[in-house]
Amino acid sequence: MARMGSIKAPFVVFGYGSLIFKPPPHVQSQTSGFLKGYVRRFAQESHDHRGTPENPGRVVTLIHKEDWDRFSRSDAFPDEDIVWGIAYTIDPEYEAEVRDYLDYREKDGYTMETLHVYTIENGIEKIAIQDAFCYVGRPDNPSFIGSEPLEDLAQRIWASVGPSGQNKEYLYRLAESVHQLAPASYDSHLFALEERLRELDKTTSDDH
């Protein structure tokens, strides 16, 4: 009798930044959900997408809450520890290709980790996906900038531009996506920055 081989677990990647509004290729299915014990912050310099080496922009990274507490003296929302995003299940036939694509796309200081993705069903919290892969910008990576005052951060994002476009466009698209993920999805840090950037846009428009 032929021996049955073990069934390989699907490759699932959790997106919490640009992967939300620009998904990876070869997605079979996707699930909105959240991570526990992490924060999403614009604490990562972007030298290759939303800024330049001379004038780096700011993009989000996922940080362990206990690590972030050591860098969060300027954080206006120190108690947040939930991150909403999308878990993508990749077509197994293209797993190697997608892994290579993501490794290159997230090369500027990100490390792959595995973690559980949660969801809420009928008011009850439950694990939706176990051991999803996620790219995390750990505090010891060279592009990690740490916590900055919200006003300074908003000004930097509003003014920065890189090969992938305006830094503020990245923030606007991310905020819009998180607003739409689920009835319970939120991110006080992200939404506060979104509001401040819209004020900067309005002020500039009024000046002209």
Side-chain angles (χ1 to χ4, degrees):
M1 182 176 178
R3 185 175 177 179
M4 296 291 291
S6 60
I7 299 175
K8 186 178 180 181
F11 177 53
V12 181
V13 61
F14 183 82
Y16 60 89
S18 62
L19 284 176
I20 297 180
F21 58 82
K22 187 181 178 183
H26 307 300
V27 172
Q28 277 191 329
S29 62
Q30 64 183 60
T31 303
S32 297
F34 59 91
L35 310 177
K36 298 171 64 176
Y38 293 83
V39 296
R40 169 177 40 214
R41 292 291 183 267
F42 281 81
Q44 190 84 349
E45 290 186 328
S46 179
H47 308 92
D48 59 347
H49 286 299
R50 299 293 176 166
T52 64
E54 298 77 22
N55 294 291
R58 299 290 186 269
V59 289
V60 292
T61 185
L62 187 70
I63 311 164
H64 294 273
K65 181 64 168 66
E66 58 269 27
D67 289 336
W68 182 245
D69 286 342
R70 305 204 310 268
F71 299 96
S72 60
R73 289 184 298 275
S74 300
D75 194 337
F77 308 99
D79 298 325
E80 287 191 335
D81 63 351
I82 287 177
V83 177
W84 281 87
I86 299 178
Y88 298 102
T89 300
I90 305 301
D91 185 334
E93 183 178 349
Y94 298 98
E95 177 179 336
E97 176 186 330
V98 174
R99 283 179 181 266
D100 288 344
Y101 164 82
L102 291 172
D103 285 345
Y104 180 79
R105 179 169 165 178
E106 309 295 339
K107 67 182 184 297
D108 193 9
Y110 292 89
T111 301
M112 184 181 279
E113 295 187 5
T114 57
L115 31 77
H116 297 336
V117 180
Y118 293 80
T119 189
I120 298 173
E121 289 186 3
N122 301 318
I124 300 174
E125 182 181 290
K126 59 178 286 189
I127 295 177
I129 298 171
Q130 292 186 333
D131 297 326
F133 290 94
C134 188
Y135 287 86
V136 177
R138 295 174 179 168
D140 59 354
N141 88 79
S143 295
F144 185 78
I145 196 67
S147 180
E148 298 176 278
L150 200 68
E151 181 65 26
D152 294 349
L153 187 54
Q155 290 282 352
R156 165 73 68 163
I157 294 170
W158 187 80
S160 295
V161 180
S164 295
Q166 294 180 312
N167 203 171
K168 67 179 182 180
E169 178 200 24
Y170 169 100
L171 186 146
Y172 286 149
R173 294 185 69 183
L174 177 58
E176 179 184 8
S177 299
V178 174
H179 279 299
Q180 298 174 355
L181 283 177
S185 62
Y186 70 94
D187 187 315
S188 300
H189 173 79
L190 174 63
F191 295 165
L193 282 170
E194 177 193 22
E195 182 178 352
R196 183 64 188 113
L197 261 67
R198 295 199 185 283
E199 291 173 357
L200 288 169
D201 280 342
K202 184 176 185 302
T203 300
T204 304
S205 177
D206 289 345
D207 288 344
H208 290 82

